[in-house]
């Protein structure tokens, strides 16, 4: 299939591009480079030995989308583009609602105008809010505890209503748990702008000497070691979930959501210990106050994706730490070097 991949230069998008290209699909990438670097697309070409056009621009521009759908026979869309910082979303809610929802609806309008009605949507486990019980199944209650999570929740609702009104749409929303790691080649990985919000890129930068110590946000949660527990999955496994979804769409009318997670919980201290094994160094840390809005425990029940998409995680936490360390060591400043 010829797949339009929005956010194709991003952390998730670049890894999705590799899996699609390596499995015989063609990719047209679109990215506004707000939180990514076009070098990632060059690296995707190096990894796969295949070419992919990349449009630099915003998916909220209907004329750009019309140009892309006119220039290329697109069979399906994987929509990874969007703003994704939880903290920033609470400070700038209008920016997040405008951007993420406008992006999705403009894309769906362009798809419909060109008769393209197969879509994989990048959603998030944040649609579960503070889960009542774990592991979390797809029929768990949905709620949003921040504007970013709300844009994913509302996005899924827009798509469910679209599929109900137009039965020829085929839509899968993928609820990511916590993506970590980097492609084993060390050529692509997470390259956050500024100070990383998320745990793993922060640990990696401490290991590389770019940051002094890991601040552990609370050790008084009701968990085995008192620190927050999450479902960390390797980004290549996550990318393969998109491949499975795209290939499943062939006969999957309507709208469905699937958890993409490993199904087990890892604490902050366990994550740090795993990274110490990968880098062979001691990682300085300091326990500080809880981060506002954080929940204690969140991990997936991935049975539906296992059963219906034929997808499950294959990489271990230690694999992800080793791959992150290889990426961080070879690219200490992310994509700024043009090696
Ligand atoms: C993980 C754990 C923190 C940083 C977020 C988004 C979610 C998704 C993934 C987009 C928590 C602790 C963290 C640090 C710490 N993104 N922590 N020190 O919050 O589970 O999920 O990223 O879809 O939408 O909410 O991930 O990596 O920020 O935190 O102790 O410097 O690590 O308290 O327990 P989170 P995270």
């Amino acid at each position: 299939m010829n797949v339009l991949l929005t956010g194709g230069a991003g952390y998730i998008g670049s890894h999705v591009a590799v899996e699609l290209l390596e499995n015989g699909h063609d990719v047209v990438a679109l990215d506004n480079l707000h939180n990514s670097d076009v070098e990632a697309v060059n690296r995707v070409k190096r990894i796969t030995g295949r070419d992919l056009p990349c449009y630099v621009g915003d998916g909220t521009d209907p004329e750009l989308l019309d140009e892309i759908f006119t220039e290329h026979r697109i069979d399906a869309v994987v929509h990874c583009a969007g703003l994704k910082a939880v903290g920033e979303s609470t400070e700038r809610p209008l920016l997040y609602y405008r951007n993420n929802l406008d992006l999705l609806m403009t894309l769906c309008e362009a798809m419909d105008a060109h008769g393209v009605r197969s879509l994989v949507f990048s959603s998030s486990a944040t649609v579960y809010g503070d889960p009542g019980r774990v592991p979390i199944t797809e029929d768990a209650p949905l709620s949003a505890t921040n504007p970013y999570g709300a844009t994913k929740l509302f996005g899924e609702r827009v798509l469910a209503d679209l599929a109900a009104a137009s039965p020829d749409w085929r839509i899968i929303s993928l609820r990511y748990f916590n993506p970590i790691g980097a492609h084993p080649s060390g050529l692509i990985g997470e390259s956050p702008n500024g100070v990383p919000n998320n745990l793993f890129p922060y640990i990696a930068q401490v290991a590389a000497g770019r940051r002094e110590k890991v601040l552990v946000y609370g050790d008084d949660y009701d968990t085995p070691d008192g620190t927050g527990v999450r479902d960390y999955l390797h980004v290549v496994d996550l990318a393969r979930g998109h491949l499975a979804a795209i290939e499943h769409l062939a006969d999957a009318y309507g709208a469905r959501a699937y958890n993409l997670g490993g199904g087990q919980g890892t604490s902050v201290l366990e994550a740090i210990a795993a990274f110490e094994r990968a880098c062979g160094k001691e990682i300085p840390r300091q326990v500080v106050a809880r981060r506002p809005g954080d929940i204690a425990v969140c991990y997936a029940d991935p049975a539906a994706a296992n059963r219906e998409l034929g997808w499950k995680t294959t990489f271990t936490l230690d694999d992800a730490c080793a791959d992150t360390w290889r990426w961080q060591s070879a690219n200490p400043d992310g994509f700024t070097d043009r090696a």
Side-chain angles (χ1 to χ4, degrees):
M1 281 186 275
N2 194 24
V3 179
L4 170 60
L5 173 60
T6 73
Y11 172 44
I12 307 298
S14 57
H15 286 86
V16 171
V18 166
E19 297 308 313
L20 290 172
L21 291 166
E22 288 192 334
N23 285 276
H25 298 286
D26 295 314
V27 173
V28 175
L30 167 64
D31 203 301
N32 67 2
L33 304 184
H34 166 77
N35 187 27
S36 56
D37 192 304
V38 73
E39 176 61 17
V41 178
N42 297 332
R43 304 283 181 90
V44 168
K45 295 174 185 175
R46 276 174 63 182
I47 293 168
T48 62
R50 298 199 54 205
D51 198 5
L52 68 155
C54 181
Y55 288 78
V56 177
D58 216 301
T60 54
D61 175 356
E63 290 176 6
L64 174 57
L65 290 176
D66 195 51
E67 177 189 340
I68 293 170
F69 282 103
T70 303
E71 290 291 312
H72 303 270
R73 180 190 48 75
I74 302 293
D75 300 304
V77 176
V78 174
H79 179 40
C80 291
L83 298 174
K84 66 163 190 171
V86 170
E88 183 185 49
S89 79
T90 54
E91 294 159 9
R92 304 183 66 187
L94 282 181
L95 171 70
Y96 271 68
Y97 286 117
R98 165 64 68 193
N99 182 79
N100 288 2
L101 294 176
D102 196 2
L103 197 46
L104 177 64
M105 292 186 285
T106 305
L107 177 64
C108 288
E109 286 169 342
M111 289 175 67
D112 200 40
H114 290 268
V116 179
R117 300 186 180 92
S118 295
L119 172 65
V120 173
F121 172 56
S122 167
S123 188
S124 168
T126 43
V127 301
Y128 296 116
D130 191 348
R133 62 183 177 81
V134 287
I136 306 171
T137 54
E138 285 84 353
D139 60 357
L142 304 182
S143 67
T145 56
N146 57 74
Y148 161 75
T151 69
K152 293 301 184 181
L153 188 56
F154 298 164
E156 286 195 24
R157 178 61 194 268
V158 165
L159 295 174
D161 288 346
L162 175 58
S166 312
D168 55 346
W169 277 80
R170 295 175 275 201
I171 300 168
I172 287 178
S173 294
L174 297 176
R175 294 172 179 168
Y176 302 174
F177 279 70
N178 289 61
I180 61 169
H183 191 268
S185 66
L187 288 172
I188 55 175
E190 191 167 11
S191 180
N193 290 337
V195 179
N197 297 309
N198 297 136
L199 178 65
F200 267 81
Y202 201 100
I203 293 176
Q205 290 189 8
V206 170
R210 282 187 63 184
R211 309 274 173 205
E212 180 199 352
K213 57 189 170 186
V214 176
L215 300 181
V216 177
Y217 294 146
D219 66 351
D220 56 351
Y221 287 103
D222 183 15
T223 62
D225 65 17
T227 63
V229 171
R230 296 292 185 274
D231 186 334
Y232 297 104
L233 73 158
H234 196 294
V235 65
V236 173
D237 277 330
L238 183 78
R240 289 174 180 166
H242 294 69
L243 174 66
I246 273 282
E247 294 180 344
H248 179 76
L249 274 182
D251 51 17
Y253 288 95
R256 269 248 31 194
Y258 293 96
N259 291 336
L260 292 190
Q264 65 280 329
T266 299
S267 75
V268 175
L269 294 181
E270 288 169 335
I272 294 173
F275 209 91
E276 288 180 326
R277 292 193 294 272
C279 69
K281 302 179 181 187
E282 191 174 328
I283 305 276
R285 80 294 300 275
Q286 178 186 353
V287 176
V288 296
R290 293 182 177 189
R291 180 171 63 177
D294 270 354
I295 58 178
V297 183
C298 178
Y299 58 90
D301 178 340
N306 300 163
R307 185 178 61 250
E308 296 176 30
L309 302 182
W311 173 88
K312 64 181 175 62
T313 53
T314 58
F315 291 89
T316 66
L317 178 68
D318 283 341
D319 293 333
C321 291
D323 291 337
T324 299
W325 183 235
R326 187 178 307 111
W327 155 254
Q328 176 70 45
S329 303
N331 304 271
D333 298 318
F335 284 114
T336 48
D337 62 318
R338 292 288 183 275

